[in-house]
Structure formats: structure tokens, C-alpha cells
Amino acid sequence: MFSNPIFDYFQIPFTNSALYIFFAFILFCSFLMFGTYKATLVPNTWQYLVEMLFKFVFKIIEEQAGKRAYKYFPFLFVLFFFVLFINLMGQVPFGFTATSHVIITFFVSLSVWFGCVYVGLLENGLRWFKFFVPDTIPLFILPIFIVLEMISYTIRAFSLSIRLSANMTAGHTLLHLVATLGVKVFSSGFLLLGISFVLLIMVLMLEVAVSFLQAYVFLTLIAVYINDSLNFEH
């Protein structure tokens, strides 16, 4: 059999994360297709849901970044659903949440961070670096504040990824513990089994809400970062 030593060392494995990200992409495309196929003046259920979420994302961008950020709406719209569907897929039995892996969220956050830097330089040129120069700061301590501002701005890539990953991991850990409790008390009587089942349903509903909430927070923070790139002056 033919063997190439280059491919023996450089392989691209198809992991669980890649598989569920692909599934999330298919679900997102299907969701938009069902919501926009044969759209009518009086929307049906799918069309109404798509339009409602469309307005929801648009309103967040308008409130957090202003009219100058309208051109970035397609990217933020897709990113919101990317995070949302990956979060929700983890709530399906035997599912997997790629956003619980910090390497996935960090790659997305770092890409967005570089994108915000690029947008700032593209829209404002070198004047954008005034963002790191606080107003009304005495000159003798100004260098310290500039360094602190740059460090704070760089940390955004880490905080954005860790926040999403930690919240999804914590919720899934709680869900796993409650499910394990249900298995342990399976032979202890119907009362404990019923309590654990109700508790499991409540935690699952909470996790669905958290999935939406984390996608919303992720979108809002990115809109704020884009606003800092477009309207950089303090």
C-alpha cells in the first residue's frame, strides 16, 4: 500500500467536535431554508420564527454598535446561530457540545478578536490606536495606562472563549450528576426516582435556556467589541 511520510505526520482527523459542528451547520441551513421557502406576507410558524430571530440579532447590533455596524450583520447573524445550534445539540441525549471545549471557543474568539482589530484599522486607520490612550490621564502615568489598556484588550479573546466554555461545561456537569443520581436511585423506590426525574427535566430546561443565553451574551459582547473598533474615541 502506498505510504507518504508527510501524511503520516500531518493528519487531519475528523473528531466529534468537527462532526457536531457539521451537524450544527446542516441544522442552521435547514432552519433558514424552512423559514424562507415560499415566504408569504402572512408568515407561517417557521417564517415567523426566522423573522423574529432576524430582528432580535439586528436589534442587538443596532443597540450595541450603531448603524456603522450594519454591514457586519451577516457575519454576526451566522455566528449567533453557529453558537446557538452547537449549544442546543448538547441537550440531545447522547449529544455532544463542541462549545464546551475551550479550544473550539478560543479559536472562534481569537478569530473574532483579530477581525475586530482589522475592522478598527480598516475603518479608522492608525487613529484607532487612540483607543488605548485614555483621556484626562496625567502624562507621567500615561505609559502605564496604555500598557494596561492593551493587556485588557488582548484578554478579551481569552475571556470570551472561557466564559462560553465554562458555562456550557458547568451545565453539562450538573446534568450528568442529576442523571447519575437517577440511575443510582432507580432501585430505591418510585418516590426518589420520580424526584430525580423531575429534577432532571428541570435542569434540562435550564440548560436549554442557558444555551440561548450564552449565544446572546456571546453576540452582545462581540457587538460591543465591534463598536469599540468603529467608535474608538473615549
Side-chain angles (χ1 to χ4, degrees), residues 173-208:
T173 301
L174 177 61
L175 194 62
H176 175 74
L177 291 175
V178 174
T180 303
L181 175 64
V183 174
K184 294 293 184 181
V185 301
F186 181 76
S187 59
S188 301
F190 288 102
L191 178 61
L192 291 177
L193 181 61
I195 293 175
S196 62
F197 179 76
V198 172
L199 185 60
L200 179 62
I201 296 299
M202 293 176 62
V203 173
L204 182 60
M205 294 175 61
L206 176 63
E207 276 302 291
V208 172

Side-chain angles (χ1 to χ4, degrees), residues 85-148:
F85 276 101
I86 291 179
N87 290 348
L88 291 176
M89 290 192 69
Q91 315 310 319
V92 180
F94 306 104
F96 178 82
T97 308
T99 48
S100 64
H101 287 192
V102 70
I103 188 62
I104 302 295
T105 57
F106 178 70
F107 175 79
V108 176
S109 301
L110 188 63
S111 301
V112 171
W113 184 86
F114 277 113
C116 290
V117 174
Y118 175 75
V119 168
L121 294 174
L122 179 67
E123 297 284 346
N124 304 288
L126 295 178
R127 294 187 302 112
W128 178 72
F129 287 105
K130 291 178 62 178
F131 176 76
F132 302 103
V133 183
D135 295 335
T136 66
I137 297 296
L139 292 177
F140 68 94
I141 60 173
L142 185 59
I144 298 177
F145 274 86
I146 292 176
V147 173
L148 292 177

Side-chain angles (χ1 to χ4, degrees), residues 24-225:
F25 173 75
I26 296 298
L27 287 175
F28 169 61
C29 293
S30 301
F31 174 73
L32 291 184
M33 182 185 69
F34 282 115
T36 56
Y37 182 68
K38 292 184 179 180
T40 59
L41 184 62
V42 179
N44 55 31
T45 304
W46 282 105
Q47 182 181 344
Y48 177 78
L49 184 58
V50 171
E51 291 179 357
M52 182 183 65
L53 291 175
F54 183 95
K55 294 178 181 178
F56 173 75
V57 175
F58 186 85
K59 185 177 180 180
I60 292 176
I61 297 172
E62 185 178 37
E63 292 178 349
Q64 301 298 331
K67 295 182 179 180
R68 293 184 65 187
Y70 284 173
K71 66 176 72 176
Y72 305 107
F73 170 80
F75 167 73
L76 295 175
F77 183 77
V78 172
L79 186 62
F80 170 76
F81 279 100
F82 170 78
V83 175
L84 176 60
F85 276 101
I86 291 179
N87 290 348
L88 291 176
M89 290 192 69
Q91 315 310 319
V92 180
F94 306 104
F96 178 82
T97 308
T99 48
S100 64
H101 287 192
V102 70
I103 188 62
I104 302 295
T105 57
F106 178 70
F107 175 79
V108 176
S109 301
L110 188 63
S111 301
V112 171
W113 184 86
F114 277 113
C116 290
V117 174
Y118 175 75
V119 168
L121 294 174
L122 179 67
E123 297 284 346
N124 304 288
L126 295 178
R127 294 187 302 112
W128 178 72
F129 287 105
K130 291 178 62 178
F131 176 76
F132 302 103
V133 183
D135 295 335
T136 66
I137 297 296
L139 292 177
F140 68 94
I141 60 173
L142 185 59
I144 298 177
F145 274 86
I146 292 176
V147 173
L148 292 177
E149 286 286 340
M150 295 184 68
I151 293 175
S152 175
Y153 191 84
T154 305
I155 288 177
R156 289 180 174 185
F158 296 91
S159 62
L160 191 64
S161 61
I162 294 174
R163 180 185 293 105
L164 177 59
S165 177
N167 280 281
M168 298 310 300
T169 302
H172 281 67
T173 301
L174 177 61
L175 194 62
H176 175 74
L177 291 175
V178 174
T180 303
L181 175 64
V183 174
K184 294 293 184 181
V185 301
F186 181 76
S187 59
S188 301
F190 288 102
L191 178 61
L192 291 177
L193 181 61
I195 293 175
S196 62
F197 179 76
V198 172
L199 185 60
L200 179 62
I201 296 299
M202 293 176 62
V203 173
L204 182 60
M205 294 175 61
L206 176 63
E207 276 302 291
V208 172
V210 169
S211 297
F212 280 93
L213 178 62
Q214 290 305 313
Y216 163 74
V217 171
F218 197 81
L219 171 66
T220 303
L221 290 175
I222 293 176
V224 171
Y225 298 161

